[in-house]
Amino acid sequence: MDDINKKQIPRPYMLENFEQTERLEKYLHLAHKRIFPKGAIVQAQGKNANSILYVKSGCLGVSIGSDDGCTKFLFHINEKTIGAAINSNEDNSEVQVYAIRKSTVYFFALEDILEIFDEDKQVFLGVIQNILDKSYCLMAKTRDLSYYRPSSRILRFIYNLCISEGKFVDNYYIINTKLTQKTIGDITGTHYVSVSKLFKMLEEQRILKKTKDRIYIYNLSKLASMIDEVLKY
DNA sequence: TCATTAATTTTCT
DNA sequence: AGAAAATTAATGA
């Protein structure tokens, strides 16, 4: 009666796996190209915008401001994905987009993107899918923030990453990823120092090992079981 | 338990 | 060498 309807591991939803639209590269000549150095503002808070942007290389971050001037991270716009900034009303958007590292970005005016949609329905579907992915991501993230403690959010993220991208070889999993601890912290809504401490603890227990562009998972079942534990580290 | 800050060390380019 | 990322410790909510 009780636990039957509870969703158990595996929990398949992967935060921030946004649809890529490489197909848009065919139309880059219609767009306006700009290069942003690290830290530069791509779309300022409070500015009206009407375009779809495509990140050819680099990575952007989207954050939302609050009254006290602080800003909270929302999600990344990685390369080969799009971002939509279409404000139909005059209200100022509280959202800000900035370059996390040096990025080359192409801006499509609304008229042009509509033309492209006309002749290339795959692009259209890709854009819709991407926006849908983002709304789902935000739903999942708000759920995680309210239901789960930080350590379990980090563990669950790694677990899902392993399930979706890990390759099983020689008795352990290899995930090819260049994620930094800072990025994992942003995605999971935790502090990078917490990520660092947790990873150190997991390494000491021979559960996993992280290098610059790989994560090795030696004990996935142990990792999974720790998601619901209250950890000290 | 975890965020935050700051100081320090390690790793990357 | 300089920048970026990670670690460590201390403090406080």
Side-chain angles (χ1 to χ4, degrees):
Chain A
M1 197 71 155
D2 36 14
D3 285 337
I4 294 175
N5 291 322
K6 279 193 186 169
K7 181 93 170 148
Q8 292 297 326
I9 287 169
R11 295 145 166 151
Y13 182 70
M14 192 61 222
L15 253 24
E16 290 204 13
N17 68 338
F18 302 141
E19 175 83 0
Q20 299 193 350
T21 46
E22 268 184 280
R23 220 162 207 277
L24 259 183
E25 303 220 353
K26 280 198 291 184
Y27 307 97
L28 290 187
H29 58 281
L30 296 171
H32 174 49
K33 174 186 180 181
R34 285 188 64 188
I35 296 176
F36 296 92
K38 178 178 177 170
I41 302 297
V42 177
Q43 303 268 9
Q45 202 174 335
K47 282 275 169 57
N48 246 18
N50 259 295
S51 60
I52 285 197
L53 61 80
Y54 176 80
V55 180
K56 177 134 166 66
S57 70
C59 177
L60 308 181
V62 181
S63 59
I64 189 162
S66 60
D67 320 331
D68 55 2
C70 289
T71 175
K72 199 71 192 166
F73 180 85
L74 292 175
F75 56 82
H76 295 92
I77 305 178
N78 282 298
E79 57 181 33
K80 296 173 186 169
T81 70
I82 56 119
I86 301 169
N87 302 333
S88 51
N89 55 6
E90 293 297 308
D91 284 346
N92 287 341
S93 169
E94 299 174 25
V95 174
Q96 184 189 62
V97 185
Y98 62 98
I100 285 180
R101 52 177 195 271
K102 185 188 176 199
S103 308
T104 69
V105 182
Y106 288 78
F107 292 85
F108 290 90
L110 218 47
E111 313 90 73
D112 295 328
I113 202 77
L114 289 176
E115 294 250 346
I116 296 170
F117 285 172
D118 256 353
E119 76 175 68
D120 195 332
K121 294 199 165 48
Q122 289 307 311
V123 171
F124 179 62
L125 289 175
V127 169
I128 293 208
Q129 185 63 57
N130 179 284
I131 296 172
L132 225 45
D133 291 342
K134 272 165 188 156
S135 76
Y136 196 4
C137 172
L138 261 16
M139 292 184 219
K141 192 164 170 174
T142 53
R143 175 202 57 193
D144 291 353
L145 287 172
S146 50
Y147 281 171
Y148 305 106
R149 51 183 50 264
S151 66
S152 107
R153 296 200 297 270
I154 300 166
L155 289 165
R156 183 212 291 262
F157 176 75
I158 302 165
Y159 177 85
N160 287 340
L161 193 63
C162 187
I163 295 302
S164 59
E165 293 183 35
K167 297 186 191 73
F168 192 72
V169 283
D170 289 341
N171 211 24
Y172 56 88
Y173 292 89
I174 296 180
I175 308 168
N176 286 302
T177 175
K178 293 181 291 291
L179 284 170
T180 64
Q181 294 184 166
K182 166 88 173 94
T183 308
I184 294 173
D186 282 337
I187 293 173
T188 57
T190 59
H191 201 263
Y192 64 95
V193 175
S194 301
V195 177
S196 174
K197 286 180 189 163
L198 184 61
F199 269 62
K200 184 184 195 288
M201 187 269 275
L202 293 170
E203 258 184 56
E204 281 169 359
Q205 298 196 26
R206 310 261 151 68
I207 292 169
L208 107 207
K209 180 177 165 66
K210 182 184 179 307
T211 65
K212 191 192 171 288
D213 37 26
R214 276 170 145 81
I215 299 174
Y216 302 90
I217 310 270
Y218 303 120
N219 194 341
L220 186 64
S221 54
K222 176 73 175 153
L223 179 77
S225 75
M226 291 171 84
I227 292 177
D228 296 316
E229 287 175 21
V230 177
L231 301 175
K232 280 193 175 128
Y233 60 93

